[in-house]
Amino acid sequence: MAVDDLSFTAEPGEVTGFVGPNGAGKSTTMRMILGLDAPDRGEALIGGHPYRTLRNPLCEVGALLDASAIHPGRRAHDHLLWMAHYNGLPKSRVGQVIEQVGLGSAARRRAGGYSLGMRQRLGIAAALLGDPPVLMFDEPVNGLDPEGIRWIRGLLRSLAAEGRTVFVSSHLMGELEGTADHLLVVGRGRLIADTTVRELLARASGEQIVLRTPARSEAMTLLANAGATVAATDRDTITVRGIAPDRIAAVLSAGGLTFSELSQHRATLEEAYMELTRDEVEFNAPTVGGTR
Amino acid sequence: MSARDGFGQVLRGEWTKLVTVRSTVWCLFLTVGLTILLSIIGAQGSSTNVGDNAERLLEDRFHFMHQPLDGDGTITARVVRQEDTGDWAKAGIMIKQSTEPRTPYVAMLVTPGHGVRFQADFSTDVAAGAGGTPAWLRLTRSGTTITGFTSPDGAAWRQVGTAELAGLPRTAEVGMFAATPASGTRVIRRGGSTTSSPDYEPSTATFDSVRLAPAAGGPAGAWQSDAIGGGVEFADGTTLVGEASESGGVFTVTGTGDIREVPFTERGDDDIVRNALGGVYLGMIAAAVLGVLYVTSEYKTGMIRTTLTASPRRGRVLVAKALLLGTVTFACGLVASLASLLGARPIQRDRGFVPPFYPDPSLTSGTVLRAVFGTAAFLALMALLGLGLGAVIRRTAGAVVAVLALAVVPGIASSLLPVEGEKWLQRLTPLAGLAMQQTRERWDNWVSPWPGFAVACAYVALALAAAVLLIRRRDTA
């Protein structure tokens, strides 16, 4: 089972990030929204309607699923043209979206000769073709060069700023840092978190305090006795939870121990995500030595 | 929400898809090109010498129970019974110059399908109205003039016809005869080489009340039994010779063959229209591959997901594809079949297929039009069969193998199989649709045009129905 009982809502005017490890069910979820895969139970609605009933669906939802899903022998322009015809869109839209994604000079070339980054741009052009209020991008950053990554981040932000619902999946949280307003974290087909970026960071950072001391084991004993949860993270580093920094300093001074660093830990989005999905990664590498 | 609007959009999109990829456009060109090419090559490889003999061709083969008649006289007989082996089986009485075939004659005869008739010298044929057996017949000779009569009861006689046989000798042969035209074709196939010959079913007739005036001097033993024209020989080397006997005034005559001038158009048995359209056997492969590629290329690249995202009503997408593909291949097929017919005809004439033996096909003739349009329709059906199987199997290689196994292999296999095997392959596989190309009776017309076409349509309908059913139910991943 790829996806199990996954419910969420993506809001207009926001970039909603959809993250999870590979195999978490992100693509399957998107395919179900687009009516390509049928859920055993339940439904996916776009503006209250199943995708299947949409008359000109490209004008309701634009989607980039798989950038390679194009006929290699067809020119990019013609690929967009048949899609436009399918939904009764004017031919002029094709030229507009080609310019919008920066493929103008390559539009008359056959798609088989495109690099992965160009295919991503073509896929994005296809999603934008119907000028839809809802956009879904599955791993849009794949294959893009740094300039392309910057471009797509700006595009996602501006699409949201226009009031559209932008739904972006990624297996790398860092890709969404600074782009997504809202985050949906999935693992093994289940929703693990439905939150904002700020909340997620705060939660991951928690009350964790990093302590660097040459007398690691003595410090751990003292702090544990004082009621803290401690974990050794390095030869001379401990993370401490459950008690305040000034109390830690007091306990250590009372025990006559010295320390070189006592700081509030600030998690990155990547760490927060790792924390959340640690148990959800389907193929975990076996842990070698050390404590967790 | 009008469904028709949406359908027009999908059709237009599919048209754009079809014409913007080289491989599909190439397949269309190949369908046309290969059909014409093989038709031309086939015409160049054909030949006939039927035109070498422009004389009349007389068929004169029957069984004759006869005796000489010296000078003027009359023969009367009653045909009691005639075995019905065909509409034109003949039983009756005859006055003939000699027992040599193709010598002048006059006959009064009955047929199962065309009543009582007066016939003379391979050219005169007078109908005497309906009426089966028993039938009273009479021929009277006066000089070189012979007159035929018939009667319902042997008492009241009605004249049917009269004929002048110039040069009829004083002594002519007179008697009862039986003949029956070929009932079909006997085909012998050894190791892929096929020989055919007309097949005959002998017809037996019984006569009584035979009177000859003036009566010949001798007893009944004076009657002689002869197979005029020497019986028939079949492709397998066997022969069939008639027989005749007399017992207590009842004569039994069994014979095969016919007495007639063979029309020019029957002297060769080739169907030149069908032969001129023979390139369809190659063109159909390109058409079927086109149909397969048109849909499997979408599955191979994953583009089917884009298609079904752009139009989530899947059945409608397939129907649009089928309609467009069918129309386009039909139009191209029409070009191919017209060009084949017109291109092959001059070559056929060079190879001996000349009028009046092989008249030029006329495009206003119903059967020729049926062949031309039927060939185009067959190519369209092959493309649709490829489309249906491609949508069911979703893999190019598998679908191509399936469509070739279904539609092309039977064509190759059927010429190697025993005739019985060929018959059923041509009837039950999609190849039956090629029956639309028939423009004349032939032994290898295993199925009639429209029923054959219906068989091919049934395969296509089945494949497309399965495709629509499956595309609706299956995930597209």
Side-chain angles (χ1 to χ4, degrees), chain A residues 35 51 56 69 74 85-87, chain B residues 14 16-17 20 301 309-310 314:
Chain A
Y51 192 86
N56 288 318
R74 192 173 281 126
H85 287 154
Y86 249 64
N87 279 246
Chain B
E14 286 298 324
T16 307
K17 273 188 199 172
T20 54
T301 57
T309 311
R314 301 177 177 189

Side-chain angles (χ1 to χ4, degrees), chain A residues 31 34-38 51-58 61 63 65-66 68-75 78-79 81-83 85-89 110 126, chain B residues 1-2 5-6 9-10 12-14 16-18 20-23 297 301-314 316-317 321 474-477:
Chain A
R31 281 204 301 267
L34 295 173
L36 294 173
D37 289 3
Y51 192 86
R52 217 167 14 83
T53 64
L54 300 179
R55 186 174 167 200
N56 288 318
L58 298 184
V61 191
L65 282 192
D66 173 7
S68 305
I70 41 177
H71 195 297
R74 192 173 281 126
R75 296 166 209 274
D78 296 330
H79 176 70
L81 186 60
W82 76 253
M83 292 183 75
H85 287 154
Y86 249 64
N87 279 246
L89 298 166
R110 295 186 190 277
Chain B
M1 177 182 295
S2 155
D5 281 1
Q9 290 172 10
V10 173
R12 189 157 177 234
E14 286 298 324
T16 307
K17 273 188 199 172
L18 189 72
T20 54
V21 170
R22 281 194 197 131
S23 56
S297 70
T301 57
M303 201 180 84
I304 188 71
R305 291 196 290 275
T306 313
T307 298
L308 296 183
T309 311
S311 173
R313 277 145 81 184
R314 301 177 177 189
R316 196 173 65 172
V317 169
K321 273 187 181 294
R474 288 199 287 217
D475 286 347
T476 48

Side-chain angles (χ1 to χ4, degrees), chain B residues 200-285:
Chain B
Y200 292 92
E201 189 185 345
S203 173
T204 299
T206 49
F207 302 79
D208 68 1
S209 312
V210 177
R211 276 182 290 123
L212 203 53
W223 292 103
Q224 277 181 277
S225 164
D226 270 305
I228 308 298
V232 289
E233 190 174 339
F234 296 112
D236 56 7
T238 59
T239 54
L240 182 62
V241 181
E243 56 188 19
S245 60
E246 187 267 348
S247 160
V250 175
F251 292 77
T252 304
V253 185
T254 302
T256 50
D258 205 357
I259 308 155
R260 59 164 192 161
E261 179 182 354
V262 180
F264 284 112
T265 53
E266 278 182 35
R267 286 165 65 170
D269 71 343
D270 285 287
D271 188 335
I272 55 167
V273 172
R274 184 176 171 180
N275 290 353
L277 298 171
V280 73
Y281 283 98
L282 208 50
M284 66 185 276
I285 299 176

Side-chain angles (χ1 to χ4, degrees), chain B residues 100-387:
Chain B
E100 282 300 304
R102 291 177 286 280
T103 52
Y105 72 93
V106 174
M108 275 300 297
L109 53 97
V110 294
T111 62
H114 301 277
V116 176
R117 306 188 83 93
F118 171 85
Q119 294 188 343
D121 215 13
F122 306 101
S123 52
T124 305
D125 180 19
V126 182
T133 52
W136 289 88
L137 307 172
R138 172 175 288 172
L139 284 172
T140 300
R141 173 177 182 180
S142 170
T144 54
T145 304
I146 297 167
T147 310
F149 302 87
T150 184
S151 164
D153 50 11
W157 290 91
R158 178 166 63 88
Q159 183 180 326
V160 178
T162 181
E164 181 77 25
L165 292 189
L168 187 67
R170 181 172 169 79
T171 302
E173 296 299 322
V174 58
M176 288 71 65
F177 75 96
T180 182
S183 57
T185 303
R186 186 175 292 197
V187 182
I188 305 302
R189 179 166 291 168
R190 283 197 196 87
S193 111
T194 307
T195 41
S196 65
S197 63
D199 197 13
Y200 292 92
E201 189 185 345
S203 173
T204 299
T206 49
F207 302 79
D208 68 1
S209 312
V210 177
R211 276 182 290 123
L212 203 53
W223 292 103
Q224 277 181 277
S225 164
D226 270 305
I228 308 298
V232 289
E233 190 174 339
F234 296 112
D236 56 7
T238 59
T239 54
L240 182 62
V241 181
E243 56 188 19
S245 60
E246 187 267 348
S247 160
V250 175
F251 292 77
T252 304
V253 185
T254 302
T256 50
D258 205 357
I259 308 155
R260 59 164 192 161
E261 179 182 354
V262 180
F264 284 112
T265 53
E266 278 182 35
R267 286 165 65 170
D269 71 343
D270 285 287
D271 188 335
I272 55 167
V273 172
R274 184 176 171 180
N275 290 353
L277 298 171
V280 73
Y281 283 98
L282 208 50
M284 66 185 276
I285 299 176
V289 169
L290 166 68
V292 168
L293 282 183
Y294 184 39
V295 61
T296 56
S297 70
E298 294 215 15
Y299 280 101
K300 183 175 152 201
T301 57
M303 201 180 84
I304 188 71
R305 291 196 290 275
T306 313
T307 298
L308 296 183
T309 311
S311 173
R313 277 145 81 184
R314 301 177 177 189
R316 196 173 65 172
V317 169
L318 258 189
V319 170
K321 273 187 181 294
L323 193 65
L324 182 75
L325 183 70
T327 310
V328 169
T329 38
F330 180 77
C332 290
L334 206 53
V335 171
S337 64
L338 272 174
S340 293
L341 187 65
L342 300 178
R345 183 58 193 144
I347 300 167
Q348 288 178 331
R349 268 198 301 264
D350 284 351
R351 305 283 152 175
F353 295 90
V354 289
F357 308 98
Y358 289 101
D360 289 334
S362 156
L363 281 176
T364 55
S365 137
T367 50
V368 175
L369 281 180
R370 184 177 64 196
V372 168
F373 280 87
T375 301
F378 180 78
L379 287 170
L381 286 178
M382 287 304 105
L384 291 177
L385 189 64
L387 177 77

